[in-house]
């Protein structure tokens, strides 16, 4: 399958998945993107690839040991560390932190570390952390200490806020670490994070972008798929999914990030449409799943490539060209899009969570 080849071709010899090989701004490795790539490779039986990614990620985290311990100690002492002291969201393919560039691109997010722990536990299929123990402990301690901090969201925006999808990834990562490390205290912290989501991140009967933002965000699908923090038939989750389907869908049925998005015009994203299709398959919505498969396939390049987003259904048409002038055409292929396309059609085993 073309998507498997794209992921394999986009995986460095170190094990890192480059976000996009043809888009200079995405020439780094995000833990979040890579974790989903690893989940997809596990789903299709390419476990050597996923193992290589997890070893790369574990090495990258262990290199940050002193930084992690410093941050954890500061937080436990009641200090409020500056964002520059926190772990980066992007790494070079060799596993070194990528510093903020000249374009002042934010580099403090927490979601990737939680998503990595979740994907690692899934990869290990219920076994304990084994050779990954040291890195998993570091990542878990970092998240347990910092989960309540404002940080940039999935989309590198709104760094002064807390975000539902981010704290959901942290809860999922802490649950995974509790299993892998036999640490009930981490499960207790995950429960506290989930309580925060239920108490502060629901408005109008739906999960919302964050405590201070009542908009929907397509990344909220993650609460159920794949994190399983809530059931697919949970009434709040059902309302959230239907809200995403009705308010974030473009006229053709592709899914946008959120209302008001202006990045390259705020078009529908292939990975988000596939993500909703993945959820629909697991929730038993055959029609929704079939629509997502057809929509994504209809936007697949002749060589099998899947881009980040289309450019034909913008929310703000005036914002398209300025981004092209600034950064060039949209990322194509985007490895995360290929990962979600694979996951939409085949799922990892549930052994880790049984």
């Amino acid at each position: 399958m073309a998507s498997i080849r794209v992921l394999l071709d986009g995986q460095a010899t170190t094990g890192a998945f480059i976000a996009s090989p043809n888009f200079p701004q995405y020439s780094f490795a995000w833990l979040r993107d890579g974790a989903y790539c690893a989940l997809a490779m596990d789903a299709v039986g390419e476990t050597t690839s996923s193992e290589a990614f997890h070893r790369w990620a574990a090495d990258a985290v262990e290199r940050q040991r002193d930084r992690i311990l410093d941050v954890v100690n500061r937080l436990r002492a009641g200090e409020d560390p500056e964002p520059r002291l926190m772990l980066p969201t992007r790494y070079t393919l060799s596993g070194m932190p990528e510093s903020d560039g000249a374009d002042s691109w934010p580099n403090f997010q927490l979601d990737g570390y939680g998503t990595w722990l979740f994907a690692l536990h899934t990869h290990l299929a219920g076994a304990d952390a084994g050779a990954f123990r040291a890195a998993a402990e570091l990542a878990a301690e970092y998240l347990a200490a910092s989960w309540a901090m404002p940080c940039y969201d999935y989309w590198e925006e709104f760094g002064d806020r807390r975000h539902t999808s981010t704290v959901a990834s942290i809860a999922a990562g802490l649950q995974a670490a509790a299993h892998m490390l036999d640490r009930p205290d981490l499960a207790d912290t995950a429960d506290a994070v989930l309580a925060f989501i239920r108490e502060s991140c629901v408005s109008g009967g739906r999960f919302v972008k964050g405590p201070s933002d009542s908009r929907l965000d397509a990344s909220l699908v993650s609460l159920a798929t794949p994190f399983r923090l809530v059931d697919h038939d949970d009434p709040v989750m059902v309302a959230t999914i239907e809200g995403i389907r009705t308010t974030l869908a473009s006229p053709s049925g592709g899914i946008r990030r959120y209302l008001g998005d202006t990045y390259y015009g705020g078009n529908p994203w292939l990975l988000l449409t596939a993500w909703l299709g993945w959820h629909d398959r697991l929730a038993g919505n055959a029609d929704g799943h079939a629509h997502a498969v057809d929509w994504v396939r209809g936007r697949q390049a002749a060589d099998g490539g899947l881009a980040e987003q289309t450019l034909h259904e913008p929310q703000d048409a005036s914002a398209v060209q300025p981004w092209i002038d600034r950064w060039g055409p949209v990322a194509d292929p985007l490895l995360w899009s290929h990962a979600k396309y694979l996951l939409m059609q085949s799922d990892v085993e549930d052994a880790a969570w049984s």
Side-chain angles (χ1 to χ4, degrees):
M1 185 182 287
S3 287
I4 297 174
R5 177 48 51 193
V6 170
L7 291 180
L8 289 172
D9 288 347
Q11 187 169 29
T13 56
T14 59
F17 288 104
I18 190 170
S20 178
N22 300 326
F23 192 69
Q25 289 75 17
Y26 293 1
S27 61
F28 304 101
W30 273 254
L31 284 183
R32 179 204 55 223
D33 296 35
Y36 277 109
C37 290
L39 281 171
M41 295 310 257
D42 278 331
V44 299
E46 294 284 349
T47 56
T48 300
S49 170
S50 54
E51 176 78 10
F53 167 76
H54 288 302
R55 292 194 180 280
W56 170 84
D59 287 345
V61 169
E62 287 197 68
R63 287 193 190 101
Q64 303 297 304
R65 173 180 292 276
D66 290 345
R67 187 174 183 176
I68 291 170
L69 295 178
D70 176 62
V71 165
V72 169
N73 287 334
R74 288 172 182 266
L75 287 165
R76 287 175 177 167
E79 296 182 30
D80 187 15
E82 297 177 34
R84 65 179 180 81
L85 298 176
M86 306 302 289
L87 296 185
T89 189
R90 300 182 297 277
Y91 287 86
T92 66
L93 301 185
S94 65
M96 301 304 294
E98 192 273 319
S99 59
D100 294 339
D103 209 15
S104 300
W105 194 6
N107 200 15
F108 168 41
Q109 294 170 233
L110 294 168
D111 58 270
Y113 295 91
T115 309
W116 172 61
L117 287 171
F118 175 87
L120 175 63
H121 182 45
T122 303
H123 174 69
L124 295 174
D128 86 5
F132 298 100
R133 176 170 291 274
E137 286 181 336
L138 285 168
E141 293 290 355
Y142 176 71
L143 293 176
S146 64
W147 73 266
M149 289 183 67
C151 70
Y152 289 93
D153 65 9
Y154 263 48
W155 318 122
E156 282 85 31
E157 297 176 330
F158 308 112
D160 60 343
R161 304 179 189 175
R162 299 164 75 181
H163 308 282
T164 309
S165 299
T166 295
V167 292
S169 71
I170 293 171
L174 291 174
Q175 285 183 346
H179 284 284
M180 289 188 292
L181 303 171
D182 191 20
R183 290 272 306 273
D185 60 307
L186 296 176
D188 291 342
T189 305
D191 288 344
V193 179
L194 286 172
F196 167 78
I197 292 173
R198 286 288 191 183
E199 293 166 6
S200 303
C201 302
V202 176
S203 178
R206 308 186 298 198
F207 295 110
V208 294
K209 196 170 175 65
S212 60
D213 192 337
S214 61
R215 290 176 294 177
L216 290 168
D217 189 301
S219 64
L220 292 167
V221 175
S222 65
L223 274 79
T225 304
F227 293 150
R228 296 167 244 189
L229 298 171
V230 298
D231 294 333
H232 292 100
D233 60 358
D234 179 289
V236 180
M237 195 71 223
V238 170
T240 303
I241 292 297
E242 291 313 305
I244 289 170
R245 199 186 310 280
T246 56
T247 66
L248 299 186
S250 69
S252 69
I255 302 300
R256 295 167 167 145
R257 299 195 298 180
Y258 59 89
L259 294 181
D261 182 17
T262 59
Y263 181 58
Y264 281 91
N267 288 279
W269 283 42
L270 278 70
L271 74 91
L272 295 177
T273 308
W275 202 344
L276 182 59
W278 180 19
H279 175 88
D280 281 340
R281 179 172 64 80
L282 296 177
N285 182 350
D287 290 343
H289 175 248
H291 168 78
V293 171
D294 289 345
W295 193 93
V296 175
R297 284 179 176 168
R299 286 144 187 84
Q300 194 167 26
D303 64 358
L306 298 172
E308 176 183 77
Q309 59 180 291
T310 69
L311 289 181
H312 308 300
E313 298 180 283
Q315 296 183 61
D316 182 353
S318 68
V320 176
Q321 192 60 47
W323 277 104
I324 294 174
D325 294 341
R326 179 180 178 183
W327 277 4
V330 297
D332 185 7
L334 184 71
L335 266 66
W336 197 14
S337 293
H338 285 274
K340 289 291 172 57
Y341 179 66
L342 290 171
L343 288 163
M344 175 171 56
Q345 298 174 85
S346 56
D347 206 26
V348 289
E349 294 293 328
D350 286 338
W353 303 96
S354 59

PDB file of all heavy atoms in Angstrom, residues 141 329 347:
ATOM      1  N   GLU A 141       6.785  11.356  34.795  1.00  0.00           N
ATOM      2  CA  GLU A 141       7.001  12.315  35.886  1.00  0.00           C
ATOM      3  C   GLU A 141       6.851  13.747  35.376  1.00  0.00           C
ATOM      4  O   GLU A 141       6.276  14.613  36.060  1.00  0.00           O
ATOM      5  CB  GLU A 141       8.396  12.110  36.492  1.00  0.00           C
ATOM      6  CG  GLU A 141       8.590  10.789  37.220  1.00  0.00           C
ATOM      7  CD  GLU A 141       7.818  10.699  38.540  1.00  0.00           C
ATOM      8  OE1 GLU A 141       7.200  11.710  38.944  1.00  0.00           O
ATOM      9  OE2 GLU A 141       7.833   9.623  39.161  1.00  0.00           O
ATOM     10  N   PRO A 329       3.803  25.964  -0.973  1.00  0.00           N
ATOM     11  CA  PRO A 329       2.605  25.101  -0.990  1.00  0.00           C
ATOM     12  C   PRO A 329       2.490  24.287   0.294  1.00  0.00           C
ATOM     13  O   PRO A 329       3.469  24.069   1.009  1.00  0.00           O
ATOM     14  CB  PRO A 329       2.858  24.189  -2.205  1.00  0.00           C
ATOM     15  CG  PRO A 329       3.840  24.929  -3.050  1.00  0.00           C
ATOM     16  CD  PRO A 329       4.705  25.696  -2.102  1.00  0.00           C
ATOM     17  N   ASP A 347      -6.867  -1.403  12.576  1.00  0.00           N
ATOM     18  CA  ASP A 347      -6.611  -0.928  13.924  1.00  0.00           C
ATOM     19  C   ASP A 347      -5.627  -1.841  14.647  1.00  0.00           C
ATOM     20  O   ASP A 347      -5.555  -3.043  14.361  1.00  0.00           O
ATOM     21  CB  ASP A 347      -7.909  -0.868  14.724  1.00  0.00           C
ATOM     22  CG  ASP A 347      -7.845   0.147  15.837  1.00  0.00           C
ATOM     23  OD1 ASP A 347      -7.067   1.097  15.715  1.00  0.00           O
ATOM     24  OD2 ASP A 347      -8.583   0.011  16.808  1.00  0.00           O
TER      25      ASP A 347
END
